[in-house]
């Protein structure tokens, strides 16, 4: 056997959502910042993302992260996030997996009961506070880059559905946010397939009808996900709500989605439904939970923005080497529209 590439992979999930962490085997990635490295990976090394996430090695619900040394003197480590259709600037579930793997595999030293880290994501520095006990990371709380709303309660025309009211918000990824009940959904697990089909149509209409551009970095991808939200309710002194994010190319996030939670915090703050410091429990379609909170308010270009903090837990599920045999016909992997909903049936995208 002679592999032309060998990656060291730690399989992990945060609240049910996959977040593989690639700890070695990628080699040099050019660029000063993690955003530069993200661009370099996308333009020169995208075969790695396809190898890891496309079939036959990956699946539509897989995500991955490449851990890289950071040039920022404030950062303990950097990482670039790889998803099935994009390289997001930020991801909550993936960041929780990265912090957990860095500490639980000893790449960075763990201090009990609390380890503070600063990680450089493509979106910028992320401060992370990990609760640790007996060698296990029991909670990761990250302070995300600012989240803000591009549009609130804006009507769009969706093929076959008519007029749908959406909020468009950025939380590290850009979301078209809709009330699930407006479209007849309760966010039950058996609705996942129908939510994905409808979510993709809403996203396509939003992309076509509502322009977005991140004011500080126009290279950040535009609207790529639809977030279906359940009603916001009070339980004691906490706000609680259910949601599901339909991640491109059309599958439900298994976790409550950290960037989706950040975007929702921006929306409910703008609508006067939450104040800084109040605890917001966001529940996924699988029943898993993240805790959200607005740390402070800020501005991003012309927009009022929230600085969101998101907390959740991750678990390592495997540790192995993934290889590429030079005679393997699927060097760039493939996708099939049975599970890769919006992909061409047949072969690689
Ligand atoms: O937690 C999040 O932000 C995400 N989970 C998978 C898709 C998003 O990156």
């Amino acid at each position: 056997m002679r592999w032309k590439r060998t990656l060291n992979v730690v399989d992990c999930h945060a609240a049910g959502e996959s977040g593989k962490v690639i700890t070695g085997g990628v080699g040099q990635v050019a660029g000063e910042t993690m955003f530069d490295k993200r661009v370099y990976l996308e333009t020169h090394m995208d075969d790695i993302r396809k190898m890891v996430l496309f079939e036959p090695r990956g699946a539509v619900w897989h995500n991955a992260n490449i851990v890289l040394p950071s040039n920022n003197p404030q950062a303990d480590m950097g990482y670039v996030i790889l998803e099935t259709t994009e390289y997001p600037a930020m991801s909550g579930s993936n960041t929780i997996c990265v912090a957990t793997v860095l500490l639980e595999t000893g790449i960075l030293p763990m201090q009990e009961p609390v380890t503070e880290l600063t990680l450089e994501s493509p979106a910028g520095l992320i401060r992370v506070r990990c609760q640790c006990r007996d060698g296990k990371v029991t909670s990761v709380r990250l302070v995300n880059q600012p989240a803000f709303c591009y549009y609130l309660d804006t009507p769009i025309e969706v093929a076959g559905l008519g007029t749908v009211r959406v909020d468009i918000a950025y939380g590290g990824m850009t979301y078209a946010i809709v009330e699930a009940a407006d479209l007849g959904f309760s966010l039950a697990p058996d609705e996942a397939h129908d939510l994905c089909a409808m979510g993709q149509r809403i996203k396509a209409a939003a992309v076509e009808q509502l322009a977005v551009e991140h004011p500080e970095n126009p290279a950040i991808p535009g609207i790529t996900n639809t977030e279906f939200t359940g009603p916001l309710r009070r339980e004691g002194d906490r706000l609680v709500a259910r949601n599901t994010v339909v991640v491109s190319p059309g599958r439900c996030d298994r976790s409550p989605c950290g960037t989706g939670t950040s975007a929702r915090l921006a929306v409910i703050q703008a609508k006067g439904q939450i104040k800084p410091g109040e605890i917001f429990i966001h529940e996924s379609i699988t029943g898993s939970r993240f805790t959200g909170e607005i740390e402070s308010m800020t501005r991003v270009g012309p927009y009022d923005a929230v600085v969101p903090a998101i907390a959740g837990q991750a678990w390592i599920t495997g540790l192995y080497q993934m290889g590429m045999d030079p005679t393997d016909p699927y060097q760039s992997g493939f996708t099939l529209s049975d599970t890769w909903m919006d992909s061409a049936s047949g072969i690689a995208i």
Side-chain angles (χ1 to χ4, degrees):
M1 180 187 79
R2 184 183 70 86
W3 279 353
K4 64 183 237 191
R5 194 186 287 288
T6 306
L7 300 175
N8 296 328
V9 181
V10 184
D11 267 354
C12 191
H13 75 85
E17 176 73 3
S18 141
K20 296 172 185 294
V21 182
I22 300 170
T23 57
V26 171
Q28 285 286 357
V29 180
E32 180 61 22
T33 66
M34 283 302 141
F35 198 85
D36 297 340
K37 290 178 189 293
R38 167 205 174 277
V39 171
Y40 188 87
L41 279 159
E42 185 171 25
T43 49
H44 295 95
M45 301 172 82
D46 198 37
D47 53 321
I48 295 181
R49 185 181 65 90
K50 291 175 175 171
M51 168 185 169
V52 174
L53 297 181
F54 289 0
E55 297 181 38
R57 294 166 200 80
V60 72
W61 45 272
H62 286 183
N63 307 287
N65 304 273
I66 299 176
V67 166
L68 296 166
S70 168
N71 293 315
N72 189 317
Q74 290 179 55
D76 296 292
M77 194 62 80
Y79 61 110
V80 175
I81 307 150
L82 321 181
E83 296 195 0
T84 48
T85 63
E86 67 175 298
Y87 289 77
M90 185 40 199
S91 167
S93 58
N94 280 292
T95 302
I96 293 168
C97 288
V98 168
T100 300
V101 168
L102 288 172
L103 295 181
E104 291 191 13
T105 65
I107 294 172
L108 293 176
M110 180 189 292
Q111 278 175 337
E112 300 190 11
V114 174
T115 310
E116 308 263 7
L117 299 175
T118 301
L119 301 177
E120 188 194 353
S121 76
L125 292 179
I126 305 293
R127 284 188 293 114
V128 175
R129 189 176 169 84
C130 302
Q131 305 292 331
C132 307
R133 196 177 58 239
D134 301 331
K136 171 78 197 135
V137 178
T138 56
S139 165
V140 176
R141 181 182 190 272
L142 64 98
V143 180
N144 198 356
Q145 288 288 317
F148 58 89
C149 305
Y150 288 108
Y151 299 90
L152 287 172
D153 292 319
T154 303
I156 57 170
E157 294 305 316
V158 182
L161 276 182
T163 306
V164 175
R165 196 170 40 93
V166 297
D167 304 310
I168 306 292
Y170 173 80
M173 300 176 83
T174 313
Y175 291 88
I177 301 176
V178 291
E179 294 279 351
D182 286 356
L183 298 160
F185 291 112
S186 64
L187 300 176
D190 65 1
E191 295 172 343
H193 186 270
D194 293 341
L195 283 160
C196 288
M198 197 174 285
Q200 287 299 92
R201 275 156 62 197
I202 293 169
K203 183 192 69 176
V207 169
E208 207 178 271
Q209 295 164 45
L210 301 174
V212 300
E213 184 177 280
H214 194 287
E216 291 175 350
N217 186 347
I220 286 178
I223 304 164
T224 51
N225 303 304
T226 305
E227 180 172 341
F228 289 94
T229 57
L232 194 60
R233 58 186 195 274
R234 274 203 182 268
E235 282 181 9
D237 56 356
R238 297 174 160 216
L239 289 159
V240 183
R242 200 169 166 89
N243 90 107
T244 196
V245 161
V246 177
V247 183
S248 294
R251 58 96 184 170
C252 286
D253 195 323
R254 275 67 178 138
S255 81
C257 191
T259 50
T261 302
S262 300
R264 190 168 189 190
L265 282 167
V267 169
I268 59 179
Q269 191 282 327
K271 294 184 177 179
Q273 295 165 328
I274 191 170
K275 292 194 232 8
E278 280 190 292
I279 297 296
F280 172 52
I281 307 291
H282 218 191
E283 190 176 274
S284 73
I285 195 165
T286 65
S288 57
R289 290 180 157 204
F290 284 165
T291 303
E293 192 182 340
I294 297 170
E295 279 237 327
S296 57
M297 298 297 301
T298 186
R299 298 268 302 171
V300 177
Y303 304 108
D304 285 327
V306 303
V307 177
I310 307 295
Q313 189 173 2
W315 291 266
I316 292 174
T317 57
L319 186 62
Y320 58 96
Q321 291 185 316
M322 181 184 286
M324 176 63 79
D325 185 314
T327 66
D328 189 329
Y330 299 115
Q331 296 288 309
S332 296
F334 66 90
T335 63
L336 197 60
S337 63
D338 57 350
T339 57
W340 299 78
M341 188 177 283
D342 274 1
S343 308
S345 184
I347 226 69
I349 47 177

